[in-house]
């Protein structure tokens, strides 16, 4: 139920991040509880998971500050028609 509420409130990305960190913590607790060890590559994977969230937040905020408004993609006459509202053409013939 918690996952569905998280999805509805915050979206798929937050659910993915939350479940990934939860799984990582479960694995680390299991390694500690059963007395296993992790090799260097495994510890680098642990570090990547924990560092990715703050790094993504930091880089995401930096990219948002550099964002500029995009130029219009429409041709000028089409853009003018779109901004003035839709008007159906009179096809009833000459008046």
């Amino acid at each position: 139920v918690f996952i569905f509420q998280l999805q509805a409130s915050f979206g798929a990305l937050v659910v993915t991040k939350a479940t990934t960190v939860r799984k990582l913590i479960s694995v680390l607790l299991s390694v500690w509880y059963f007395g296993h060890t992790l090799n260097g590559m495994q510890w680098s994977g642990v570090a990547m998971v924990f560092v990715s969230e703050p790094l993504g937040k930091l880089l995401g905020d930096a990219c948002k500050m550099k964002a500029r408004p995009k130029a219009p993609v429409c041709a000028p006459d089409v853009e003018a028609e779109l901004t003035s509202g839709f008007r159906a053409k009179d096809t009833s013939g000459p008046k």
Side-chain angles (χ1 to χ4, degrees):
V1 175
F2 170 74
I3 295 296
F4 296 121
Q5 291 174 342
L6 195 63
Q7 165 72 32
S9 300
F10 299 103
L13 183 60
V14 172
V15 171
T16 303
K17 289 179 180 181
T19 55
T20 301
V21 171
R22 181 193 61 80
K23 288 176 186 179
L24 178 67
I25 290 171
S26 295
V27 167
L28 289 177
L29 286 174
S30 175
V31 166
W32 170 76
Y33 183 77
F34 291 106
H36 297 289
T37 59
L38 298 177
N39 65 31
M41 288 295 286
Q42 292 167 326
W43 278 115
S44 65
V46 169
M48 279 192 267
V49 170
F50 278 117
V51 169
S52 65
E53 176 59 28
L55 188 62
K57 178 82 171 143
L58 180 68
L59 293 176
D61 290 345
C63 290
K64 286 178 188 175
M65 288 193 283
K66 292 181 182 179
R68 296 184 213 154
K70 294 182 179 179
V73 212
C74 301
D77 56 336
V78 175
E79 185 180 354
E81 185 175 317
L82 290 174
T83 56
S84 66
F86 179 76
R87 291 184 289 240
K89 293 184 179 180
D90 185 12
T91 57
S92 61
K95 292 186 177 188

